[in-house]
Structures are given as C-alpha cells and as structure tokens.
C-alpha cells in the first residue's frame, strides 16, 4: 500500500504544472476531485477495518485541503496510505468489515487501497496528458485478490485497467460495468 502511494504520487508530481481542474481520464471528476476521492477512500478503508461494521459505511470522511499546494496534497495521499497500511498490519486474521463489494479482511482492504491508488493515478495522469501505466508488481497481488476471474496472459497493470473498465485487452471487449470481489477466500 505504501509502495503504491509512493509510486503513484511520484508519477503525479510530474503533472504538477498541469490543469488539475480538467476531468481525470474518463471520469466526470476533476483531477483535484479524484485525488480527494482517493484520500477519502484510503482513510475510509482504514476506518472500516478499525470499526468493523457488518452492514454499512462509517461516518468518517477525510479530505485534502483544496488550497494546499500539490506537493502537500500528494503528501496527504501518502499519509492516508500509511494509515491504511498500519491498520492492515494491526488487524487480526479474523477481523472482517463490510464493503458493498464483499465483506473483507485486512489483506482485502489493502488490495482495495492499491486498486484505488493505481487506477485513480492512471485517471489523473490521463487527464493531465501524462503517460502512466500501473506497475505490474503493484497490481498482480491486488488483481489476484479482488479479480480472481481476470483473464490470464496479459501484464498485470493492463489487466487491472481492463478489469476496471479503463483499457482494452486483446480478445476482450472493454468493460462498461465492473466491480471487484472483496470477500475473503
């Protein structure tokens, strides 16, 4: 999780002078709003794993200061990732928490955090005109955990983008709708 945040924030720093009010990739959100969504998701996953609700989201919301310089907002992403990583490390093997796409455990929430981080970094990079593909080494474990039926024989980063409707794979139609399976296996 922390490695994903380091890799992704370094990639986004390259777009520091870009127009962050532009849409992030194929999303309706701006690059700024997408970065804020990422911070919310990472802290939210840590909160879910801490509170361990069985049927709902929790009331904790986190956001980045919109007036802060980009370097400080990227630091916020690294902090949120570190909070999630620490929560995952502290979770017991039997700890479970609700998520609409499958009740999950610590490793499942870590995988969700990695997917959110790399996919939204890809979205923001596209919106800023940067070429960036998620690294296979970061994506492979999350792909195995959350998308067990993903097609084999393709690089993990591209496959993860395909699984989340952001890329095409040879011989596969582009996904219009998607969700992961966070259940414990």
């Amino acid at each position: 999780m922390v490695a994903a945040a380091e890799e992704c924030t370094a990639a986004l720093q390259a777009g520091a002078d870009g127009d962050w009010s532009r849409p992030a990739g194929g999303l309706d959100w701006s690059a700024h709003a997408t970065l804020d969504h990422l911070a919310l998701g990472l802290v939210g996953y840590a909160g879910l794993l801490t509170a361990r609700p069985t049927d709902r989201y929790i009331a904790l919301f986190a956001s980045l200061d919109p007036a802060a310089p980009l370097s400080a907002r990227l630091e916020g992403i690294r902090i949120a990732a570190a909070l999630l990583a620490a929560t995952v490390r502290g979770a017991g093997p039997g700890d479970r928490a609700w998520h609409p796409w499958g009740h999950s455990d610590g490793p499942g929430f870590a995988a969700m955090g990695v997917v959110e981080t790399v996919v939204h970094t890809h979205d923001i990079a596209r919106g800023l005109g940067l070429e960036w593909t998620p690294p296979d080494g970061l994506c492979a474990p999350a792909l195995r955990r959350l998308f067990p039926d993903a097609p084999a024989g393709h690089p993990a980063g591209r496959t993860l983008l395909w699984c989340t409707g952001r890329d095409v794979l040879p011989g596969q139609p582009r996904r219009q709708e998607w969700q992961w399976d966070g259940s414990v296996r």
Side-chain angles (χ1 to χ4, degrees):
M1 185 63 257
V2 172
E6 291 292 336
E7 169 79 27
C8 294
T9 56
L12 294 177
Q13 186 63 51
D17 295 332
D19 181 359
W20 284 70
S21 67
R22 293 181 57 193
L27 303 178
D28 293 332
W29 303 329
S30 70
H32 277 300
T34 304
L35 197 65
D36 199 51
H37 166 81
L38 177 54
L40 169 69
L42 296 175
V43 171
Y45 293 159
L48 284 166
L49 193 54
T50 298
R52 295 190 295 279
T54 60
D55 61 349
R56 64 182 164 45
Y57 279 115
I58 57 170
L60 173 67
F61 289 96
S63 64
L64 301 171
D65 180 353
L70 179 64
S71 60
R73 283 182 273 138
L74 293 176
E75 177 185 50
I77 296 299
R78 292 188 299 275
I79 292 167
L83 289 171
L84 176 55
T87 304
V88 167
R89 281 191 306 274
D95 290 348
R96 304 287 187 271
W98 178 87
H99 187 278
W101 292 350
H103 283 67
S104 207
D105 58 358
F109 278 100
M112 291 179 213
V114 169
V115 170
E116 290 280 350
T117 302
V118 299
V119 166
H120 288 313
T121 295
H122 180 263
D123 295 334
I124 295 168
R126 278 187 52 213
L128 296 174
L130 303 171
E131 288 292 324
W132 188 81
T133 301
D136 296 333
L138 291 176
C139 296
L143 190 62
R144 281 191 301 273
R145 173 59 194 261
L146 300 177
F147 298 96
D149 296 332
H154 306 283
R158 295 253 345 266
T159 302
L160 182 59
L161 293 177
W162 177 83
C163 286
T164 58
R166 287 163 169 83
D167 202 356
V168 295
L169 288 176
Q172 301 289 332
R174 186 180 192 116
R175 283 189 155 180
Q176 299 302 313
E177 293 184 18
W178 64 273
Q179 73 178 45
W180 60 59
D181 179 1
S183 12
V184 178
R185 289 182 261 308

